[in-house]
């Protein structure tokens, strides 16, 4: 707009520049031509300037349009980024909410776990107290059993000593009886000879008397033979009793390794510590009574880690007592003892009731023991 105003002014202002002092036409024509020529030159210059100005304006407009397009693209990208950021913020808000919920749940679980740990600690303390009391009771019971065994051994020694004394006295009496019998036989023979020599007249009477005495001596001799036979039988029985009392039947066997997958029927203890009398078979896991009497059996079982284990002491396929190792703690121990009356050939072994785990080491921890304490026929005599 200013360019057109300037051009209009240049065209209008010279028309009023005619000289009012001269009235000649020649002067007016010249001035007007000069003015027209001047206006033409100025107009050309202005047109050239306008062209240049328009060119610069076009360039500026194109640059502005380009900048506007770039700004629109940047605004579109910014709007897209803003939209993505809003989506990400919404997702983060959801994640934060879920994390808060999870954190609250974990706090509640932590509180519950703390309460459970307190309860477990209380139970463990009670179990430890019970185990301590049970161990103390087992030690007392073992002490009592050992005292009774010693007392029985002392009584057995006294009985054997008295039997030996009686046998010695009986042997002396038998020797005296044999001597007396020999002397009596010799005196009878001498008496017969003397009577045959001195009393030849009364032969019949003497023979009758001698026959009567011989018959009496034969009865006495028969009775003595019977008594001697009975004494020999008694001596044989006494020898058997002494031999049986001197023969010790006892065993201790154990495991030297552990297992978490054992699922057999009979728990076979392959490691033999003692096996007096060879009653225990380490191949089958069974004890066979070599003689009749009263036997004591004891089993100790420890579980591997936290597992259950139930074992029975079995007499001829009948469960007598049971151990229990519960999974309330790692490596829990179960023990039990049985006093059984056996006859020769009876079987005793350890059978699995439940569980698949036992623990032991190179020095056995899980063990099975037994020993013989008396004979029925020895006590009856």
């Amino acid at each position: 707009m200013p360019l057109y105003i300037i051009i209009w002014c240049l065209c209008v202002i010279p028309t009023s520049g005619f000289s009012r002092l001269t009235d000649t036409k020649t002067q007016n024509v010249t001035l007007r031509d000069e003015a027209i020529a001047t206006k033409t030159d100025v107009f050309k210059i202005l047109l050239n300037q306008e062209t240049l100005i328009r060119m610069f304006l076009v360039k500026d407009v194109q640059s502005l349009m380009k900048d506007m397009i770039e700004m629109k693209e940047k605004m579109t990208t910014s709007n897209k980024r803003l939209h993505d950021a809003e989506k990400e913020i919404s997702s983060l808000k959801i994640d934060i909410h879920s994390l808060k919920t999870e954190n609250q749940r974990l706090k509640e679980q932590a509180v519950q776990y703390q309460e459970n740990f307190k309860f477990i600690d209380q139970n463990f303390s009670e179990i430890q107290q019970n185990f301590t009391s049970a161990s103390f009771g087992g030690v007392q019971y073992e002490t009592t059993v050992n005292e009774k065994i010693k007392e029985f051994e002392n009584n057995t020694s006294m009985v054997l000593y008295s039997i030996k004394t009686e046998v010695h006295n009986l042997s002396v009496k038998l020797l005296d009886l044999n001597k007396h019998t020999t002397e009596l036989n010799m005196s009878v023979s001498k008496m017969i000879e003397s009577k045959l020599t001195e009393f030849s007249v009364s032969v019949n009477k003497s023979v009758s008397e001698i026959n009567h005495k011989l018959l009496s001596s034969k009865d006495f001799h028969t009775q003595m033979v019977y008594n001697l036979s009975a004494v020999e039988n008694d001596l044989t029985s006494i020898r058997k009793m002494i031999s049986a009392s001197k023969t010790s039947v006892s065993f201790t066997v154990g495991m030297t390794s552990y297992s978490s997958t054992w699922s057999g029927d009979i728990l076979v203890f392959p490691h033999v510590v003692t096996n007096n009398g060879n009653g225990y078979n380490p191949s089958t896991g069974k004890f066979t009574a070599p003689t009749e009497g009263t036997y004591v059996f004891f089993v100790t079982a420890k579980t591997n880690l936290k597992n259950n284990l139930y074992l029975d002491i079995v007499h001829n396929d009948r469960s007598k007592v049971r151990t229990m190792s519960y999974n309330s703690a790692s490596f829990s121990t179960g023990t039990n003892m049985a006093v059984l009356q056996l006859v020769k050939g009876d079987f005793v072994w350890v059978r699995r009731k439940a569980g698949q785990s036992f623990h032991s080491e190179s020095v056995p921890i899980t063990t099975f023991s037994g020993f013989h304490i008396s004979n029925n026929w020895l006590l009856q005599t």
Side-chain angles (χ1 to χ4, degrees):
M1 178 67 73
L3 181 60
Y4 293 107
I5 294 172
I6 292 169
I7 293 170
W8 181 80
C9 290
L10 290 174
C11 294
V12 172
I13 290 171
T15 56
S16 60
F18 296 118
S19 180
R20 295 180 180 180
L21 297 175
T22 60
D23 295 330
T24 61
K25 294 181 180 179
T26 304
Q27 186 178 356
N28 290 335
V29 170
T30 302
L31 290 174
R32 190 172 71 177
D33 292 336
E34 291 178 357
I36 291 170
T38 301
K39 290 179 180 180
T40 303
D41 293 335
V42 172
F43 185 74
K44 288 180 180 180
I45 292 169
L46 291 175
L47 286 175
N48 291 329
Q49 291 179 352
E50 182 183 8
T51 303
L52 293 174
I53 291 169
R54 284 183 179 179
M55 290 175 64
F56 284 114
L57 287 174
V58 168
K59 289 182 180 180
D60 292 337
V61 169
Q62 289 178 352
S63 178
L64 287 173
M65 290 295 292
K66 186 177 181 181
D67 293 338
M68 288 180 67
I69 292 170
E70 290 178 355
M71 287 182 66
K72 286 182 179 180
E73 291 178 353
K74 290 181 179 179
M75 287 183 65
T76 303
T77 305
S78 298
N79 289 330
K80 185 177 181 181
R81 290 180 180 177
L82 180 62
H83 183 68
D84 294 338
E86 288 177 352
K87 285 184 178 180
E88 188 173 357
I89 289 170
S90 299
S91 177
L92 289 173
K93 287 182 179 179
I94 294 171
D95 292 339
I96 290 170
H97 180 71
S98 62
L99 288 173
K100 287 182 178 180
T101 305
E102 183 69 17
N103 188 20
Q104 183 65 27
R105 187 178 65 81
L106 291 174
K107 287 182 179 179
E108 293 177 355
Q109 287 183 353
V111 173
Q112 185 66 31
Y113 287 152
Q114 289 178 355
E115 293 179 355
N116 292 334
F117 285 147
K118 290 180 180 178
F119 181 72
I120 291 170
D121 289 336
Q122 292 178 357
N123 291 336
F124 182 76
S125 299
E126 293 177 358
I127 291 169
Q128 190 172 9
Q129 292 176 359
N130 294 332
F131 180 75
T132 303
S133 61
S135 299
F136 181 71
V139 171
Q140 288 184 340
Y141 184 79
E142 186 176 0
T143 304
T144 304
V145 170
N146 291 331
E147 290 177 354
K148 289 184 178 179
I149 290 172
K150 290 181 180 179
E151 183 180 357
F152 177 77
E153 289 177 352
N154 293 330
N155 293 333
T156 305
S157 300
M158 293 176 63
V159 170
L160 291 174
Y161 179 75
S162 62
I163 290 172
K164 288 179 181 179
T165 304
E166 291 179 0
V167 169
H168 179 70
N169 294 331
L170 184 60
S171 298
V172 172
K173 288 181 181 179
L174 287 174
L175 290 174
D176 292 338
L177 183 60
N178 288 329
K179 184 178 180 181
H180 178 70
T181 304
T182 303
E183 292 177 354
L184 182 61
N185 289 329
M186 291 176 65
S187 63
V188 169
S189 299
K190 290 179 179 180
M191 184 181 62
I192 292 171
E193 289 178 359
S194 64
K195 283 187 178 183
L196 287 173
T197 304
E198 293 176 358
F199 301 101
S200 57
V201 180
S202 57
V203 174
N204 293 327
K205 185 177 179 180
S206 297
V207 169
S208 299
E209 291 177 357
I210 290 170
N211 288 329
H212 179 70
K213 289 181 179 180
L214 287 172
L215 290 172
S216 300
S217 65
K218 286 181 179 178
D219 293 336
F220 180 74
H221 183 72
T222 303
Q223 185 66 33
M224 287 298 297
V225 170
Y226 177 77
N227 292 334
L228 286 173
S229 177
V231 170
E232 288 178 357
N233 291 331
D234 292 337
L235 286 174
T236 302
S237 299
I238 290 170
R239 289 192 187 98
K240 289 182 179 180
M241 287 188 290
I242 293 171
S243 177
S245 64
K246 289 181 179 179
T247 301
S248 174
V249 179
S250 60
F251 72 93
T252 294
V253 293
M255 309 297 296
T256 56
S257 62
Y258 65 89
S259 176
S260 299
T261 58
W262 172 68
S263 59
D265 182 25
I266 300 175
L267 183 57
V268 179
F269 298 84
H271 180 71
V272 177
V273 180
T274 56
N275 193 12
N276 296 325
N278 295 321
Y280 179 79
N281 188 341
S283 298
T284 62
K286 291 185 178 182
F287 170 78
T288 305
T291 183
E292 181 181 0
T294 303
Y295 292 78
V296 178
F297 297 94
F298 190 84
V299 63
T300 299
K302 182 182 285 293
T303 62
N304 188 35
L305 301 178
K306 285 190 176 182
N307 291 291
N308 293 327
L309 182 62
Y310 299 86
L311 298 177
D312 293 352
I313 295 178
V314 181
H315 174 206
N316 290 341
D317 206 27
R318 289 188 178 182
S319 297
K320 297 299 182 180
V321 297
R322 178 171 297 165
T323 69
M324 183 183 75
S325 303
Y326 196 59
N327 61 358
S328 59
S330 296
F331 303 104
S332 61
T333 302
T335 60
N336 214 329
M337 185 176 69
V339 180
L340 302 177
Q341 190 67 37
L342 306 182
V343 298
K344 184 178 180 180
D346 280 359
F347 295 102
V348 178
W349 67 88
V350 177
R351 180 166 63 191
R352 181 179 69 94
K353 176 62 179 176
Q356 294 183 336
S357 166
F358 62 83
H359 180 77
S360 195
E361 297 177 356
S362 58
V363 177
I365 297 174
T366 299
T367 59
F368 179 39
S369 300
F371 57 91
H372 175 227
I373 60 174
S374 69
N375 293 316
N376 283 339
W377 50 270
L378 179 62
L379 294 176
Q380 291 174 358
T381 57

